[in-house]
Amino acid sequence: MAAPTDRMGLLLVALLPVLFSIADAVDRSNFKTCDQSAFCKRQRDVKPGQSPYRALLETMELSEARLTLQLINDNNKVRLLLELYRLQGNMTRVRINELKPLRPRYEVPDVLIQEPPTESLLLLERDEHGMVLSLGVDDQRLIINARPFRLDIMDGPKVLLSLNSRGLLVFEHLRLRKDTKTEADAEGVENDVEQNEAEKVEEVEEVTEEEEQPGMWEETFKSHSDAKPSGPSSISLDFSFPGVDHVYGIPEHADSLKLRTTDGGEPYRLYNLDVFQYELYNPMALYGAVPVLLSHTAERTMGLFWLNAAETWVDISSSRAVQGGGDAPQTDVRWISESGIIDVFIMLGPRPTDVISQYASLTGTQSFPPLSALAYHQCRWNYNDQEDVQAVDNGFDEYDIPYDFIWLDIEHTDGKRYFTWDPNKFSQPREMLQNLKDKKRKMVTIVDPHIKVDSSYKIHKEIRSKDFYIKNKDGGDYEGWCWPGNAGYPDFTNPEMRAWWATMFAYDQYEGTMDNLYTWNDMNEPSVFNGPEVTMHKDALHGGWEHRDVHNLYGFYVQMATAQGLIQRSGGVERPFVLTRAFFAGSQRYGAVWTGDNAAEWGHLKMSIPMCLSLGLVGISFCGADVGGFFKTPSPELLVRWYQAGAYQPFFRAHAHLDTPRREPWLFGPENTALIREAVRQRYTLLPYWYQLFYNAHRTGQPVMRPLWLEYPGDPATFAIEDEFLLGKDLLVHPVTDEGSHGVTAFLPGEGEVWYDVHTYKKHQGNLNLYIPVTMNSIPVFQRGGSIITRKERVRRSSSCMEDDPYTLYVAVNAQGTAEGELYIDDGHTFNYEKQNQFIHRRLTFTEGSLSSSNLSPDSQFSTASWVEKVIFIGVPKPSAATLRTADGAESPLEFEFDPASELLALRKPGVNAGADWTIHLR
């Protein structure tokens, strides 16, 4: 990203033009293909067929909640231990490890929010060929076939899912290297080997020898060597979904919402990498990795959560299978990971929302952000100095465009030393922050996890003195090149390191900071400019584990520690806001993500939709893309269209590369400024609805931004739609993403549904494709009939300035003349909603001509100065009168206006408090 400085040294100067210049596309040669990844190639060379694994039924042990069973590989005689658990909520957990591994294999900690509660397993049948277990839900059963080993999950006569049906279970056991198998080496496997370890070594010696293959014990990529002291340790398992033609998930990839087959091409790769100007429609790895896949048909949705933090590849095959006497689709999914164990959660739905809830019960829900974080963010690499920040801030006021956050990239620091400020350009940070605070605005600064190696730098000195750095394979501190030049990398897998890092955000540690400063974690894949694939060497050491075991967890831990630091600095009162580029399963608990270093191209605008939809399906609702594109320079048309799309995506931030021209919203002429202003204002009017959606996402795990099939699971027409989306279940958005477009075609789902254009209030029937003529000011958005959406229409300079402003309710009736919605209010920034039950949660219901507000949480206590300013009814006949009845029984008439052409009824100034009980009657 940044231009090199003298301090970075000659090596970084040489590297940067190659890695970070604004090029036409990513340099694929910097990143491995499956054939260049030795374990992936080995595993992929294993073709479907007869599995060598056999279940030893006589070893079966069944307790109330756990079944264990040994498996044997008849080719090499290595035994594995299979564990099966029936989990609460219609889930099954399958774990496979070596029965007696030479040394422990890595098992992912900290991602699950608790040890999943179990339910009883019941053995129904058993013979010499296998056994049948009840899964307790309806007629769901788990069938274990002994030879070859295979698991089938059945619902009545129907196979829902099969494991190892294609015979692709491969578990590379830990072993001693053939050319070092001396007695001394065996004793050196672990320092001071005890008797039980010695027995493991002896048992490994007894297994049938296997042919050595390239890359098992050492691997090179370009100029980088990967020593593999533990040897081969990869795992693979296949899953078959009969009757399934649509699978989704496994982000992050710049690819279609529906996952494509990988036959004849590259598998989808999950390996957090710093990829610059990534290609579209490509299964290459990007910045984050969530190993969760969903299958969907009109009858059932299921999910797989592959809990493994090592480099992982996912193959997807599609075929036709004979089923029930007919021809039916089948999707086969094969997971391949470099190390660790097989630990997979099978989520059996059956509805899409059930799978979302099941996954949320395992890894948690989206953190509830401060309301201001849902507003507009202004960022670029970099605002030059405090005067520049003030000028941009004043520009938003001058052009009457609201915003809440201004961001500072790496140049704000003192020589890329994080937790510092440039003494010349940002000499008075508190003054700068106070000026923003006076306008009820906030700032975000970047804090990356690579630490400049500098003996005078406090952060580096403390990390080194506490021995918190990751180690290289020889035991010294691991060092690599990044923005500061030579840098060390803190070991965030160490809870003591995370606890220390959190203390660095205290106001007396991070000097110049205030409570309106928040944090951005970038480059946390981790990015190592001179490392293999621009990341860390796999043989680096995190305590007793190699980096290869934990790689995809690194960014997860960085964001975790940072969020904890922001919470601690306020004494546990204030909610944090932390943006991360790298992420893993469970990252939703700690903040927001974005889609990384995109480009100012129409294709990247289009791709922002399926990328964020995929993240929402796996729990990460707080997603957005750099508005305008990070690399390159957008045309005014592209920039306007991106603002219009971004205003309806969860994380709304404009960002730009250092080498691009400035692009504040007022720099493209008055017409485009007006268009951008209108898009941003639409975001601010809808903040009450956004906040309610995030509250519900925090409570339930249901995504904020949703593919249509999530709400209309029985309609195959929705299964592959990725150019439009739902916000909650009540707003449908179809951004304009084509250059020079004069119209878009939106699918309005739902037989019997009614949809209303939110701009014209025109009514449309569901279950049809609607052509919508567009101009440059068009943002096609529809409100579902049967919904009530709350807005605040007095847009001010920031969301905090609107805190006590009144609400307008938009009541859009369905074909039955009814509607319902919710209103959520709290202080917008603390944990008091959770710790002290301080919030308002109202149910809004319109039925039989009466609109009422009732309390959804009678035990909560909170007061608001906001009142209901206006009620807009859409799709109702003209009443003869309207009256308001308050909680004390008092009634009063209400003035109204009615437009017969649009069936729009406007009631003005009901004057009731937003937290009160009341009813409006239409007669």
Side-chain angles (χ1 to χ4, degrees):
M1 290 177 2
T5 67
D6 293 341
R7 287 179 294 226
M8 291 185 179
L10 294 175
L11 177 56
L12 192 56
V13 170
L15 283 168
L16 284 172
V18 176
L19 295 175
F20 308 112
S21 61
I22 302 181
D24 288 336
V26 64
D27 183 355
R28 289 196 192 185
S29 69
N30 285 327
F31 304 101
K32 289 183 180 180
T33 63
C34 179
D35 277 351
Q36 293 171 314
S37 181
F39 80 91
C40 184
K41 186 178 188 305
R42 286 198 306 274
Q43 292 279 10
R44 226 181 181 202
D45 284 345
V46 177
K47 302 304 179 185
Q50 186 79 2
S51 174
Y53 289 93
R54 171 169 52 94
L56 302 175
L57 298 180
E58 66 278 10
T59 66
M60 189 270 285
E61 295 182 10
L62 179 62
S63 63
E64 183 176 346
R66 175 176 179 257
L67 178 144
T68 62
L69 183 66
Q70 292 182 29
L71 310 177
I72 189 168
N73 182 331
D74 283 330
N75 291 341
N76 61 18
K77 310 308 179 188
V78 173
R79 293 196 180 198
L80 307 177
L81 180 66
L82 167 72
E83 299 174 80
L84 292 176
Y85 301 85
R86 178 186 161 208
L87 304 182
Q88 289 181 14
N90 202 20
M91 294 181 286
T92 299
R93 185 178 191 179
V94 179
R95 287 167 52 93
I96 303 176
N97 196 356
E98 294 184 57
L99 180 64
K100 294 183 178 180
L102 187 61
R103 59 184 65 82
R105 299 179 68 114
Y106 189 72
E107 300 181 28
V108 176
D110 300 318
V111 168
L112 301 178
I113 57 174
Q114 62 179 353
E115 190 62 28
T118 58
E119 295 186 329
S120 298
L121 277 169
L122 178 64
L123 181 64
L124 300 177
E125 300 177 30
R126 178 177 177 179
D127 61 21
E128 69 273 18
H129 303 296
M131 61 187 72
V132 181
L133 298 154
S134 171
L135 293 179
V137 178
D138 299 326
D139 197 18
Q140 286 182 188
R141 292 162 294 134
L142 190 151
I143 299 175
I144 301 175
N145 186 76
R147 189 180 192 133
F149 166 69
R150 168 176 170 154
L151 295 182
D152 291 293
I153 295 180
M154 310 282 294
D155 188 358
K158 185 176 181 179
V159 178
L160 299 179
L161 174 74
S162 298
L163 285 73
N164 202 37
S165 63
R166 302 174 71 215
L168 295 174
L169 167 62
V170 178
F171 205 108
E172 292 185 329
H173 64 283
L174 299 178
R175 65 199 77 181
L176 296 176
R177 192 167 184 171
K178 289 181 180 179
D179 56 5
T180 60
K181 285 184 182 178
T182 66
E183 183 177 343
D185 290 325
E187 292 175 353
V189 169
E190 296 287 345
N191 292 333
D192 301 321
V193 175
E194 297 179 0
Q195 181 62 35
N196 60 335
E197 262 108 5
E199 292 173 0
K200 293 177 187 176
V201 172
E202 183 179 347
E203 183 171 329
V204 170
E205 297 279 8
E206 292 175 354
V207 304
T208 303
E209 297 286 351
E210 293 179 290
E211 182 181 348
E212 295 281 333
Q213 296 184 48
M216 279 186 164
W217 294 94
E218 187 175 12
E219 186 174 356
T220 58
F221 178 67
K222 292 192 151 184
S223 62
H224 301 285
S225 176
D226 175 15
K228 297 182 176 180
S230 296
S233 58
S234 68
I235 55 177
S236 171
L237 183 60
D238 64 280
F239 300 79
S240 295
F241 295 88
V244 170
D245 202 25
H246 291 77
V247 290
Y248 310 89
I250 57 170
E252 181 179 37
H253 300 96
D255 210 342
S256 55
L257 176 63
K258 177 195 172 186
L259 298 173
R260 297 176 291 122
T261 62
T262 59
D263 293 334
E266 285 292 297
Y268 285 96
R269 191 183 188 197
L270 295 172
Y271 190 61
N272 295 357
L273 291 173
D274 185 356
V275 182
F276 304 90
Q277 199 174 324
Y278 46 82
E279 292 183 9
L280 306 182
Y281 302 104
N282 191 310
M284 287 176 64
L286 289 180
Y287 313 95
V290 184
V292 175
L293 179 141
L294 287 78
S295 71
H296 179 69
T297 69
E299 292 77 34
R300 194 179 196 104
T301 308
M302 295 183 290
L304 294 177
F305 173 26
W306 178 268
L307 183 53
N308 189 294
E311 179 185 351
T312 296
W313 301 76
V314 184
D315 257 323
I316 298 172
S317 301
S318 182
S319 62
R320 309 297 294 185
V322 176
Q323 194 174 51
D327 190 31
Q330 175 166 304
T331 296
D332 301 307
V333 180
R334 180 186 189 183
W335 300 77
I336 303 170
S337 293
E338 184 174 14
S339 63
I341 69 167
I342 292 173
D343 190 0
V344 61
F345 296 82
I346 302 168
M347 300 167 284
L348 294 172
R351 299 170 301 176
T353 52
D354 293 328
V355 173
I356 301 293
S357 296
Q358 288 157 356
Y359 178 64
S361 74
L362 298 172
T363 66
T365 61
Q366 176 65 57
S367 62
F368 191 26
L371 188 150
S372 57
L374 302 179
Y376 174 62
H377 300 248
Q378 180 66 32
C379 183
R380 83 172 271 109
W381 176 30
N382 199 88
Y383 287 118
N384 301 323
D385 49 34
Q386 288 181 216
E387 291 73 22
D388 196 8
V389 169
Q390 185 172 352
V392 172
D393 178 68
N394 291 339
F396 277 89
D397 293 336
E398 179 182 350
Y399 291 94
D400 193 25
I401 301 172
Y403 90 101
D404 271 62
F405 283 83
I406 190 165
W407 293 51
L408 295 180
D409 210 318
I410 55 177
E411 311 301 336
H412 84 278
T413 62
D414 180 7
K416 314 302 187 300
R417 297 169 180 86
Y418 304 107
F419 300 100
T420 70
W421 304 86
D422 185 297
N424 298 313
K425 297 179 179 179
F426 295 93
S427 60
Q428 301 295 326
R430 278 185 166 272
E431 177 183 306
M432 175 178 61
L433 289 166
Q434 187 62 52
N435 289 339
L436 292 170
K437 190 171 184 177
D438 290 344
K439 294 183 178 182
K440 298 190 175 182
R441 288 172 174 157
K442 300 169 178 66
M443 175 174 277
V444 171
T445 53
I446 197 166
V447 178
D448 288 347
H450 49 262
I451 304 301
K452 183 177 180 66
V453 176
D454 175 357
S455 60
S456 64
Y457 177 28
K458 180 185 77 169
I459 300 295
H460 166 69
K461 286 195 299 182
E462 290 202 29
I463 295 175
R464 176 160 285 179
S465 69
K466 295 175 184 296
D467 201 26
F468 283 161
Y469 277 126
I470 296 169
K471 306 302 179 184
N472 60 37
K473 64 180 180 180
D474 299 317
D477 287 348
Y478 180 92
E479 294 180 2
W481 286 88
C482 209
W483 296 130
N486 198 35
Y489 290 78
D491 185 0
F492 284 90
T493 68
N494 181 348
E496 293 181 6
M497 166 60 210
R498 296 197 300 271
W500 174 85
W501 179 266
T503 67
M504 291 299 99
F505 291 91
Y507 299 124
D508 61 350
Q509 294 291 331
Y510 191 170
E511 295 181 6
T513 62
M514 294 174 55
D515 60 0
N516 63 332
L517 182 71
Y518 297 83
T519 307
W520 171 18
N521 294 146
D522 197 2
M523 316 297 286
N524 54 339
E525 292 76 23
S527 179
V528 183
F529 292 167
N530 61 335
E533 301 191 272
V534 201
T535 194
M536 186 168 286
H537 293 73
K538 288 182 175 180
D539 52 13
L541 297 173
H542 301 253
W545 301 107
E546 288 189 289
H547 185 71
R548 80 182 73 251
D549 300 311
V550 305
H551 176 85
N552 286 342
L553 283 173
Y554 193 77
F556 165 86
Y557 278 130
V558 173
Q559 190 186 25
M560 174 197 287
T562 301
Q564 188 58 42
L566 296 189
I567 294 170
Q568 284 179 196
R569 73 177 186 181
S570 70
V573 173
E574 297 289 330
R575 285 178 251 164
F577 170 70
V578 182
L579 179 73
T580 183
R581 190 169 72 175
F583 51 85
F584 189 67
S587 288
Q588 67 270 13
R589 306 198 299 265
Y590 305 111
V593 306
W594 91 107
T595 61
D597 295 341
N598 60 0
E601 297 173 355
W602 289 93
H604 280 264
L605 169 57
K606 290 176 187 286
M607 186 56 68
S608 69
I609 300 174
M611 288 183 77
C612 280
L613 288 174
S614 294
L615 284 162
L617 288 173
V618 298
I620 301 176
S621 274
F622 207 176
C623 168
D626 286 345
V627 169
F630 178 69
F631 287 113
K632 301 187 176 181
T633 302
S635 66
E637 180 189 5
L638 175 57
L639 184 64
V640 167
R641 291 302 192 197
W642 214 317
Y643 268 97
Q644 292 171 341
Y648 286 90
Q649 293 178 356
F651 177 53
F652 185 23
R653 182 187 75 155
H655 187 36
H657 188 280
L658 181 74
D659 293 335
T660 62
R662 294 289 284 255
R663 60 169 89 143
E664 282 73 46
W666 51 86
L667 297 178
F668 297 84
E671 290 186 6
N672 292 312
T673 299
L675 293 169
I676 293 172
R677 178 190 300 116
E678 174 57 25
V680 177
R681 287 175 67 89
Q682 287 187 33
R683 172 60 163 234
Y684 275 73
T685 63
L686 275 171
L687 282 176
Y689 183 63
W690 281 105
Y691 200 50
Q692 172 210 313
L693 292 179
F694 269 89
Y695 176 68
N696 287 333
H698 178 60
R699 287 173 53 244
T700 69
Q702 299 304 316
V704 169
M705 181 177 172
R706 306 174 184 178
L708 271 61
W709 63 262
L710 198 72
E711 293 296 331
Y712 299 90
D715 186 353
T718 67
F719 292 178
I721 291 177
E722 62 180 20
D723 57 356
E724 64 185 68
F725 53 89
L726 293 166
L727 294 178
K729 61 182 180 180
D730 294 334
L731 281 184
L732 185 148
V733 185
H734 192 302
V736 180
T737 58
D738 287 310
E739 185 176 12
S741 178
H742 297 290
V744 298
T745 299
F747 179 70
L748 304 181
E751 185 71 40
E753 292 272 34
V754 177
W755 295 90
Y756 298 91
D757 187 311
V758 302
H759 307 297
T760 67
Y761 309 111
K762 187 174 181 180
K763 178 179 177 180
H764 303 280
Q765 298 301 314
N767 196 33
L768 61 78
N769 288 297
L770 177 70
Y771 179 78
I772 308 158
V774 298
T775 61
M776 277 306 298
N777 66 358
S778 300
I779 313 177
V781 181
F782 299 86
Q783 182 174 344
R784 186 182 61 84
S787 67
I788 301 174
I789 287 179
T790 56
R791 298 174 183 250
K792 285 190 174 184
E793 299 194 322
R794 300 185 187 184
V795 176
R796 304 186 190 274
R797 64 160 57 116
S798 73
S799 64
S800 296
C801 293
M802 300 165 61
E803 179 179 359
D804 294 331
D805 283 351
Y807 290 90
T808 296
L809 311 182
Y810 282 78
V811 183
V813 302
N814 56 21
Q816 293 74 42
T818 65
E820 63 179 9
E822 296 178 17
L823 172 62
Y824 177 83
I825 307 171
D826 62 18
D827 63 25
H829 59 95
T830 75
F831 286 105
N832 290 348
Y833 76 95
E834 185 176 65
K835 295 181 178 180
Q836 301 179 24
N837 233 23
Q838 293 184 5
F839 63 90
I840 293 168
H841 196 190
R842 311 291 300 178
R843 179 181 298 282
L844 304 170
T845 307
F846 180 67
T847 182
E848 297 181 349
S850 294
L851 173 66
S852 62
S853 173
S854 58
N855 197 349
L856 275 171
S857 184
D859 296 331
S860 63
Q861 294 183 345
F862 190 72
S863 61
T864 178
S866 297
W867 51 287
V868 179
E869 178 178 41
K870 189 189 305 181
V871 181
I872 306 295
F873 292 89
I874 313 169
V876 299
K878 181 179 180 179
S880 59
T883 59
L884 170 69
R885 182 182 180 91
T886 55
D888 61 5
E891 291 193 7
S892 57
L894 294 175
E895 296 181 0
F896 63 86
E897 298 173 0
F898 183 75
D899 179 2
S902 59
E903 293 186 315
L904 192 73
L905 172 68
L907 302 183
R908 302 191 183 279
K909 297 185 178 178
V912 289
N913 186 275
D917 289 345
W918 51 264
T919 302
I920 292 174
H921 298 286
L922 304 181
R923 295 186 177 88

